[in-house]
Amino acid sequence: MADQREADGHAVKLCYLYTAVTELILAGELPKDTYGAAVDAVWENMVQKRMYVTGGIGSQAYAERFTKDYDLPSERGYLETCASVAVCMWAEKMLDYHQDAGYADVYEWELYNGVLAGWSLDGNTYHYANTLRYRKKITGYRQDCAHVEGQRQPWFACACCPSNLLRLIGNLARDCIRIRDGVVYVDLYMGAQVSAKAPDGRFDIRMETRYPYEGEVGFTVGTNRAEEVELALRIPAWCRHYAVRVNGESIPNQVRKGYARIRRRWKDGDFVHLSLVQEYRFLFADGHLWEQSGKAVLTKGPLVYCAEGTDNEELALLSYWTGTAFTESEKEMAGKTIPAVRCMGLRQTDSAELYRFAEPKTEPVELTAIPYFAWGNRGETDMEVWLPYRNTLPDMS
Ligand SMILES: [Zn+2]
């Protein structure tokens, strides 16, 4: 195993195994110089070449396994909820191993996309497999998509995913703020209250935010410590502009290993405001990705968006226009208000013949996208994460 360099085999079990190996290296039970190389190489291979844009892993239902680099089929991939949970578990150990915020970036992306898609908005039903494309009359018909459900299920004969997902949610209080070597690391932004006791006093943080829908986060410090404490706030890789203020004043800070660091003698009631500017941005696929090349995914902050047939007619005919403006809106589903976004795209207007020599005609059309985790909460419908993209609109004059 020390010789392994690729993410191979059963997706869930690989992450469980490497979670344990990383923990044993941290505990000094396995040698870092041999097993450490395997841990780093397998992680890099998984994240850089074998992970879906939602964070999902496991490209094939047969043996529920990884396949080869760049093989990430949208519709028939396995992407088990447990596998996404397992990536979070391993990421948490890698974070402790390297103290680098890049691992928390993966944890966060996985949490809000790969994991959360496995759970219905009303909390009562679950996805075992998290497909990136669902075609209402086709996916359920295909033998190689027999594992894909258009609707979340109340339970499974092999019910690993629901309990695994809930265990992870239960661990978020542990994983959002870590204290290591006297540094208080904030890795995940969410409503939370964490208390750290030290021989020379206490250091409490109350975190308030509407994250992931908004990037504003407030921290109220409660402390009686006389010594300086370093607060390290993760600046996610998706974030191009951020600001930190303490008690209303902009604070110069240094980003090291992905964390904006503020070291000072804190007073009881000090208030830190972190602003992480969230923008709608398209993600594009590397040319090696046979199925996704020439397509784009809409994102905002840590959320991957998708388009559903409920909001968009004939999804197969639609493309994104990368020059679009965005209009925020909301959708009511399963008793919840979920953010949605409208943008301009294109629709093919002359779809008739299966193949023909004339280039298809298109016209501008308004598209609606919702966060991927919320798909499939309004009845069975088409869904697509990757849409073709154009960087120009057709001349309609
Ligand atoms: Zn499972």
Side-chain angles (χ1 to χ4, degrees), residues 66-265:
F66 293 99
T67 55
K68 293 291 180 187
D69 293 351
Y70 304 114
D71 179 40
L72 299 167
S74 279
E75 189 173 31
R76 64 186 190 278
Y78 201 64
L79 299 109
E80 184 177 345
T81 301
C82 280
S84 289
V85 168
V87 169
C88 291
M89 292 166 63
W90 187 13
E92 192 255 329
K93 298 299 173 210
M94 291 297 275
L95 191 54
D96 238 359
Y97 183 32
H98 290 291
Q99 305 301 337
D100 188 314
Y103 299 98
D105 284 352
V106 174
Y107 188 135
E108 173 186 90
W109 198 269
E110 190 75 71
L111 176 67
Y112 290 124
N113 301 294
V115 172
L116 210 50
W119 204 7
S120 66
L121 292 175
D122 65 10
N124 292 327
T125 55
Y126 305 89
H127 269 147
Y128 199 105
N130 296 285
T131 186
L132 272 68
R133 174 191 300 144
Y134 189 81
R135 297 181 290 173
K136 192 175 171 184
K137 293 180 182 155
I138 301 172
T139 306
Y141 186 78
R142 292 186 57 95
Q143 183 272 336
D144 60 357
C145 293
H147 59 287
V148 179
E149 310 106 0
Q151 293 284 275
R152 292 173 183 81
Q153 305 295 307
W155 206 243
F156 305 100
C158 175
C160 46
C161 297
S163 50
N164 221 346
L165 189 158
L166 296 176
R167 178 178 60 172
L168 181 75
I169 302 291
N171 280 342
L172 292 178
R174 177 200 69 188
D175 292 349
C176 66
I177 298 180
R178 296 173 302 129
I179 297 149
R180 296 288 184 278
D181 301 324
V183 178
V184 179
Y185 291 95
V186 185
D187 293 310
L188 301 171
Y189 298 113
M190 54 189 60
Q193 184 141 4
V194 173
S195 297
K197 289 189 177 61
D200 61 338
R202 64 183 171 82
F203 193 84
D204 305 332
I205 292 183
R206 191 173 75 243
M207 181 160 49
E208 294 167 285
T209 181
R210 290 201 69 240
Y211 203 92
Y213 299 151
E214 294 174 6
E216 310 300 316
V217 192
F219 307 86
T220 306
V221 174
T223 186
N224 58 2
R225 289 184 69 167
E227 298 298 308
E228 287 188 343
V229 172
E230 182 174 310
L231 182 63
L233 306 176
R234 182 175 62 91
I235 307 301
W238 53 257
C239 180
R240 291 191 285 193
H241 309 286
Y242 77 95
V244 184
R245 289 196 292 277
V246 178
N247 300 328
E249 286 180 33
S250 285
I251 293 294
N253 57 80
Q254 196 184 15
V255 176
R256 189 160 40 85
K257 286 197 161 186
Y259 294 95
R261 294 161 189 268
I262 313 158
R263 188 174 185 83
R264 59 189 279 149
R265 196 164 287 129

Side-chain angles (χ1 to χ4, degrees), residues 27-46:
E29 301 285 337
L30 281 177
K32 186 176 176 178
D33 53 352
T34 48
Y35 286 89
V39 161
D40 287 337
V42 173
W43 175 271
E44 282 304 304
N45 177 247
M46 176 179 78

